[in-house]
Amino acid sequence: MPKEKLLSTEEARKVLRTINQMYPDAKSELVWDNKFHLLCAVLMSAQTTDKMVNRVMPKFIEDYPDPDALAKASIKDIENHISKIGLFHSKAKHLKETAEILVDKYHSQIPEDKKDLVSLPGVGEKTANVVLADGFGVPAIAVDTHVSRISKRFHIVPQNSKPLEIEKRLEEILPKDEWIHTHHAMILFGRYSMTARDKNDPYTYLKTK
């Protein structure tokens, strides 16, 4: 089997910056109003569309304004709030446990340290990076299914790359001040331009000015 040919750093940077230019105002499409609700929304978004999460967030925000309110809620009540999204049973459990830890250990504040974030129930690398980037403005690249697929389709990374490997490669390619915007632009590109069903040459989806 021939060895997979990957883009050079300069070639990959050109692809990513073209995607950036296609979505100059790229940002998260999730509904949230503070760092706590951002954490909750991203935790809920695993294997579920942002649209589905956004349908439940307004009522969730109203009924659970802070970690204390969520920590005191019953699992059943939380499940009723988020029953429209996938994996709601396990997500309700994680939300309650996370809220309890936030109250007991962090004085109801969202930690800014990545190690602390990933120690919370249901919070992985992707969720932690989104919270750091969007909540705190800390440079980070969150690798979701769109970012992973785009990185592989353009041969920026090998096809068998794991999310953490993709994250590290993208961080190598771009300067830190482009990480947050690039992550959001790649998600929008994968969501609206080169979708998972599209099997054409990926370069046909790039629009250059």
Side-chain angles (χ1 to χ4, degrees), residues 40-41 43-46 48 52-61 63-64 70 74-96:
C40 293
L43 194 155
M44 286 187 230
S45 71
T48 303
M52 290 302 295
V53 175
N54 288 345
R55 288 180 188 176
V56 306
M57 279 307 292
K59 180 66 172 169
F60 185 93
I61 288 171
D63 290 353
Y64 308 123
L70 186 58
S74 69
I75 291 289
K76 191 66 178 175
D77 283 343
I78 301 171
E79 286 181 345
N80 287 338
H81 274 77
I82 68 171
S83 60
K84 293 178 182 177
I85 67 176
L87 306 175
F88 71 92
H89 290 298
S90 60
K91 289 176 181 177
K93 182 173 178 289
H94 289 153
L95 285 166
K96 181 173 173 64

Side-chain angles (χ1 to χ4, degrees), residues 3-186:
K3 186 176 180 181
E4 182 181 358
K5 183 170 175 24
L6 299 176
L7 297 186
S8 68
T9 295
E10 192 53 45
E11 290 169 335
R13 188 177 292 131
K14 185 175 180 180
V15 167
L16 296 174
R17 285 181 170 163
T18 300
I19 293 173
N20 267 334
Q21 290 167 7
M22 290 174 64
Y23 294 96
D25 301 317
K27 60 182 180 180
S28 173
E29 294 186 315
L30 285 171
V31 169
W32 58 280
D33 62 341
N34 58 39
K35 296 181 183 71
F36 169 59
H37 290 135
L38 169 63
L39 173 60
C40 293
V42 181
L43 194 155
M44 286 187 230
S45 71
Q47 299 183 48
T48 303
T49 65
D50 286 1
K51 284 185 178 180
M52 290 302 295
V53 175
N54 288 345
R55 288 180 188 176
V56 306
M57 279 307 292
K59 180 66 172 169
F60 185 93
I61 288 171
E62 180 183 347
D63 290 353
Y64 308 123
D66 51 42
D68 187 61
L70 186 58
K72 290 176 179 175
S74 69
I75 291 289
K76 191 66 178 175
D77 283 343
I78 301 171
E79 286 181 345
N80 287 338
H81 274 77
I82 68 171
S83 60
K84 293 178 182 177
I85 67 176
L87 306 175
F88 71 92
H89 290 298
S90 60
K91 289 176 181 177
K93 182 173 178 289
H94 289 153
L95 285 166
K96 181 173 173 64
E97 291 174 348
T98 289
E100 290 171 343
I101 294 171
L102 291 175
V103 172
D104 294 340
K105 188 175 180 180
Y106 298 105
H107 309 289
S108 293
Q109 299 300 306
I110 307 303
E112 191 174 348
D113 184 87
K114 188 173 181 177
K115 288 182 179 178
D116 290 335
L117 283 169
V118 297
S119 72
L120 298 171
V123 177
E125 289 275 335
K126 185 201 85 170
T127 298
N129 281 350
V130 174
V131 172
L132 288 173
D134 291 352
F136 294 96
V138 175
I141 296 176
V143 179
D144 70 347
T145 55
H146 296 298
V147 173
S148 175
R149 177 167 51 81
I150 291 163
S151 298
K152 292 175 182 179
R153 284 286 304 278
F154 281 101
H155 300 285
I156 294 171
V157 299
Q159 298 303 302
N160 62 352
S161 296
K162 301 291 190 293
L164 190 57
E165 295 169 332
I166 298 170
E167 178 186 335
K168 296 305 179 189
R169 179 56 182 146
L170 294 175
E171 288 177 352
E172 291 171 356
I173 293 168
L174 295 167
K176 276 190 174 184
D177 62 359
E178 294 181 26
W179 289 2
I180 297 176
H181 186 272
T182 299
H183 147 245
H184 287 306
M186 290 179 78

